[in-house]
Amino acid sequence: MVSKKIRTQAVAAGIAVLALGLTACSSGDDNTAEPGSTSSDGGAASGDAISVGFSQVGAESGWRAANTKSIQDTLTKDAGFDLKFSDAQQKQENQIQAIRSYIAQGVQYIAFSPVVETGWDAVLQEAKAANIPVILTDRAVDTADKSLYVTFIGSDFVEEGKRIGEWVNDNVATEPINVVELQGTTGSAPAIDRKQGFEDATKDNANVKIIASQTGDFTRDGGKKVMEGFLQANPDIDLVYAHNDDMALGAIEAIEAAGKVPGKDIKIVSIDGVKDGMTALSEGKINYIVECNPLLGPDLAKIIKTLHDGGTVEPRIVTQDGAFDQEQAKAALPDRQY
Ligand code: AHR
């Protein structure tokens, strides 16, 4: 699996890594598609604007909203881009359709965050045949052919799950605990990897027992509904591992409706670090959050400009993520951007 192989290349994190991963070159325009592409409003692409088609997963979470804003705020006309943006509403067929439409329009670059890991080879081969470089943002694809995309920029999801598991080992599972897991979208890279990372970190701790695991599709409603079912079926839940903050927030609603105290009667750990999640953490309703940085717009813009100038980029660029306990969340909240 290519994404897993790439992850084993230990790349340091963050913007610093991106800077190292970009090699500028003063000549060459090999990645530029033929002229005549149209802008999102139907007019001709203005001047030297770089046309980029971006297919977003959807609007399922606070994280996704922050990620969309970061991309739209960065790839602006003023910054030299002609951005065509589409929301796939969590459906792979919509993303494939959007990518085909970008190819037909002759955009110069395609970027997308794949809703699931598999099933992309055919459409990515079409982009390659059209000479359009593809950049994966946020989520990986599972393909044997690494030439189908130029780079994958985003967090290390296995590491995120591992950090959650290590915190649970040290802070909660010093005695036997029953864990329920709210998984992200089935088949998506973050759901697969965060599950694996948590299991890797806790597999040698006999105190950790995962008694139920189900997808809440990364949404607040999904997290709430699945948690309601967990609570009805299992009277002795000690800890919720939510693959993102939105599902943790839904779980809080379900736990409170069941007359229990989130963060105390049932502890909650999650991933993302969006403002609503950090607020619940600072209020004691969540116990620990590992951050997943959604602000990928500036790095995406740098990658495209580098390619456009004839430079090269590393095949895997890992973004930097923090982690917060309740006191750290209180300190970080006033400056939180998303
Ligand atoms: O791919 C990143 C994940 O997708 C975020 O953790 C989640 O909130 C989003 O929906």
Side-chain angles (χ1 to χ4, degrees):
M1 182 184 291
V2 162
S3 57
K4 303 290 185 295
K5 278 187 201 151
I6 289 171
R7 278 184 198 107
T8 63
Q9 302 169 357
V11 186
I15 306 237
V17 169
L18 181 56
L20 290 174
L22 305 178
T23 307
C25 177
S26 57
S27 65
D29 203 13
D30 295 342
N31 297 296
T32 308
E34 57 279 342
S37 60
T38 56
S39 66
S40 48
D41 59 8
S46 57
D48 292 332
I50 304 170
S51 56
V52 180
F54 188 95
S55 170
Q56 181 59 286
V57 170
E60 73 281 6
S61 64
W63 188 99
R64 191 62 57 194
N67 179 247
T68 291
K69 185 172 183 323
S70 173
I71 285 154
Q72 290 180 328
D73 286 356
T74 312
L75 276 71
T76 61
K77 284 208 164 78
D78 284 352
F81 294 97
D82 174 18
L83 175 67
K84 300 162 198 306
F85 182 92
S86 58
D87 174 339
Q89 298 176 345
Q90 296 249 65
K91 292 195 172 73
Q92 184 175 32
E93 60 267 32
N94 291 347
Q95 286 202 291
I96 291 173
Q97 201 178 3
I99 292 168
R100 291 212 163 109
S101 148
Y102 295 145
I103 296 169
Q105 290 173 59
V107 298
Q108 291 164 293
Y109 298 88
I110 290 172
F112 78 115
S113 176
V115 59
V116 291
E117 278 195 332
T118 56
W120 299 103
D121 282 51
V123 73
L124 292 183
Q125 270 153 7
E126 291 167 33
K128 188 178 173 185
N131 242 338
I132 303 174
V134 171
I135 298 147
L136 303 178
T137 69
D138 163 39
R139 295 184 181 181
V141 299
D142 181 2
T143 174
D145 185 354
K146 289 182 198 173
S147 76
L148 294 179
Y149 60 91
V150 181
T151 186
F152 162 37
I153 177 168
S155 296
D156 182 336
F157 297 137
V158 175
E159 183 62 24
E160 290 172 348
K162 201 172 146 217
R163 289 171 81 182
I164 289 280
E166 284 165 355
W167 187 88
V168 169
N169 283 338
D170 294 344
N171 295 278
V172 191
T174 47
E175 55 189 41
I177 57 165
N178 288 331
V179 177
V180 294
E181 180 181 29
L182 294 169
Q183 291 185 42
T185 302
T186 305
S188 70
I192 294 166
D193 292 354
R194 288 171 182 171
K195 181 173 185 55
Q196 184 197 319
F198 182 85
E199 288 175 358
D200 286 352
T202 56
K203 67 178 187 305
D204 294 329
N205 186 343
N207 285 336
V208 175
K209 191 174 170 200
I210 302 174
I211 58 169
S213 181
Q214 199 178 315
T215 181
D217 213 11
F218 280 130
T219 66
R220 207 175 283 210
D221 268 7
K224 185 178 176 191
K225 283 193 190 106
V226 174
M227 190 65 208
E228 284 167 354
F230 284 166
L231 285 161
Q232 275 161 20
N234 308 283
D236 295 321
I237 298 169
D238 298 298
L239 181 126
V240 178
Y241 169 34
H243 286 191
N244 79 343
D245 285 353
D246 278 76
M247 292 190 294
L249 293 161
I252 288 171
E253 289 178 34
I255 291 167
E256 286 175 338
K260 298 197 174 187
V261 181
K264 292 201 168 59
D265 297 337
I266 299 179
K267 301 214 167 14
I268 303 178
V269 289
S270 78
I271 297 170
D272 272 355
V274 296
K275 231 176 209 160
D276 286 355
M278 294 286 276
T279 302
L281 180 61
S282 72
E283 291 169 351
K285 296 182 177 187
I286 294 178
N287 300 82
Y288 189 64
I289 291 179
V290 170
E291 183 184 43
C292 181
N293 186 352
L295 306 180
L296 301 179
D299 286 352
L300 176 61
K302 277 185 213 162
I303 289 167
I304 293 171
K305 292 254 177 176
T306 299
L307 294 173
H308 208 64
D309 289 342
T312 57
V313 298
E314 292 293 329
R316 174 69 168 111
I317 300 168
V318 183
T319 48
Q320 189 164 34
D321 296 319
F324 304 89
D325 62 20
Q326 293 171 343
E327 288 311 309
Q328 289 163 332
K330 280 180 203 160
L333 255 177
D335 298 325
R336 204 75 189 150
Q337 286 181 55
Y338 52 90

